[in-house]
Amino acid sequence: MTVSVKMPDLGEGISKATVASWLVKVGDRVNEGDDLVELVTDKASFNVPAAVTGIVRQILVQEGEEITIGGDLAVIE
Amino acid sequence: MILSQDLLICRTKDIGLTDFFQACQLQKKFVQEVIDGGTDILLLTEHAPVLTLGSMATESNILLSGEMVKARGIGIARVDRGGEVTFHGPGQLVVYPILNLNKFGRDLKSYLSKLEQVAIDLLRYFGIVANSVEGKRGVFVGPKKIASIGIGVRKWVSYHGMAINVNTDLRYFSTIKPCGLEVEMTSMERILGKSLSMDAVKGQAINCFCDVFNLKITKA
């Protein structure tokens, strides 16, 4: 089963963020709750954790690129 | 009216003058504590002179070479917070609220605005009229910036925070483009024409912080 890692809702008025750095790479095994990626927006840096345990199969947004709320960041299998 | 039993508890800890990296380590420890269900905590400190860059900050906003910065006894650190380059040094009050934002609406903009409100209320107490500016973060007195903001969030627990120039030696800011902006910095000392007791400012900062976030304070 594959699960998409989505950009979380960071509250009212924030529609997008920039990927500052990936803390994992494709092929890495991650546990539920492990930090996957650091996003930055409006003076805040925010780490997105893995919602499930599994292997990172795809990274869909590169460092420096923007992502909108609900957008797919990665795929974990 | 908010009844006292409705207030959330927050610890405060004044860690005095600290090395920036040591303070980061301490924050990490408390962030983990709060993630694990511990009580929120507000750290108060002043740092030895250091330039810090947010995760996506541009190094060209440091206007001196690395050697020149070092020669002046200033450290450089890249940190996992939002925002551009800023300066921390003695005479500047730095507050690091380590709060479980699940209890405060999981709303980063609202959290940042509340931090600004703490500084605005604090400054008003000392007779300074300050405000936030639409589209910019931080707190301003007229066109000059007096407080800077940059936060990190892990599992909805906040860290890093806000720096307010109390008696800061403002000459240090000439080494950078603060927050990537063409902005002049100011301090409470500069505006009031006298240096302030840091303890008095810290005490009032805690009061303002409690009022804005509806918190009841205990000493850590």
Side-chain angles (χ1 to χ4, degrees):
Chain A
M1 192 184 74
T2 60
V3 174
S4 297
V5 178
K6 294 192 182 296
M7 152 89 179
D9 185 354
L10 302 180
E12 205 173 316
I14 298 178
S15 58
K16 60 189 178 187
T18 304
V19 172
S21 65
W22 279 98
L23 310 171
V24 295
K25 54 187 189 302
V26 171
D28 281 359
R29 182 171 181 81
V30 293
N31 291 314
E32 183 183 342
D34 285 354
D35 287 327
L36 300 177
V37 59
E38 182 194 358
L39 307 178
V40 287
T41 172
D42 193 24
K43 298 276 186 179
S45 144
F46 188 93
N47 284 2
V48 180
V52 294
T53 296
I55 309 286
V56 179
R57 289 299 178 203
Q58 279 181 288
I59 282 177
L60 301 167
V61 186
Q62 301 310 310
E63 291 177 2
E65 289 179 358
E66 284 190 340
I67 173 93
T68 50
I69 284 181
D72 291 333
L73 284 160
V75 175
I76 297 176
E77 186 178 2
Chain B
M1 195 176 97
I2 292 160
L3 301 171
S4 65
Q5 62 262 36
D6 295 333
L7 299 177
L8 295 164
I9 303 289
C10 183
R11 296 172 284 170
T12 62
K13 195 173 173 72
D14 180 354
I15 54 174
L17 182 69
T18 57
D19 169 79
F20 183 79
F21 293 100
Q22 283 173 351
C24 283
Q25 289 305 316
L26 195 63
Q27 284 196 77
K28 271 193 185 146
K29 174 182 159 267
F30 285 118
V31 166
Q32 194 56 52
E33 259 188 46
V34 174
I35 288 174
D36 294 338
T39 305
D40 294 345
I41 187 163
L42 174 68
L43 298 176
L44 300 107
T45 187
E46 292 171 71
H47 288 308
V50 63
L51 299 179
T52 68
L53 296 127
S55 304
M56 299 284 284
T58 321
E59 280 185 29
S60 61
N61 285 327
I62 298 178
L63 304 173
L64 298 177
S65 70
E67 291 78 43
M68 285 170 80
V69 171
K70 263 187 208 156
R72 294 180 185 206
I74 309 172
I76 298 184
R78 194 169 274 278
V79 279
D80 52 348
R81 61 159 172 80
E84 266 292 338
V85 62
T86 196
F87 167 78
H88 299 300
Q92 182 191 64
L93 172 61
V94 177
V95 293
Y96 292 135
I98 299 171
L99 304 185
N100 184 342
L101 297 181
N102 287 304
K103 294 187 271 185
F104 299 91
R106 291 167 70 122
D107 185 325
L108 295 190
K109 271 207 165 167
S110 149
Y111 174 64
L112 290 164
S113 298
K114 280 182 173 165
L115 278 186
E116 288 170 350
Q117 192 59 48
V118 170
I120 291 168
D121 292 353
L122 171 68
L123 291 162
R124 191 194 300 127
Y125 179 87
F126 287 95
I128 297 170
V129 178
N131 53 279
S132 54
V133 175
E134 181 71 30
K136 289 179 190 169
R137 280 292 172 192
V139 173
F140 296 78
V141 178
K144 296 182 183 175
K145 194 171 188 181
I146 192 160
S148 302
I149 283 186
I151 64 160
V153 178
R154 257 192 80 212
K155 299 193 170 55
W156 285 106
V157 172
S158 66
Y159 55 102
H160 298 305
M162 182 164 63
I164 305 164
N165 291 319
V166 180
N167 306 315
T168 320
D169 182 346
L170 296 171
R171 287 173 298 181
Y172 282 111
F173 283 102
S174 64
T175 58
I176 58 168
K177 223 188 226 186
C179 304
L181 301 170
E182 296 287 351
V183 67
E184 195 179 326
M185 301 299 288
T186 192
S187 68
M188 295 171 77
E189 179 184 36
R190 174 72 59 88
I191 292 165
L192 298 173
K194 60 172 189 200
S195 130
L196 285 102
S197 148
M198 185 57 93
D199 283 344
V201 176
K202 280 176 176 168
Q204 192 55 32
I206 293 170
N207 292 340
C208 293
F209 182 77
C210 288
D211 287 347
V212 170
F213 286 91
N214 293 325
L215 296 166
K216 196 159 90 180
I217 285 298
T218 58
K219 281 244 160 86

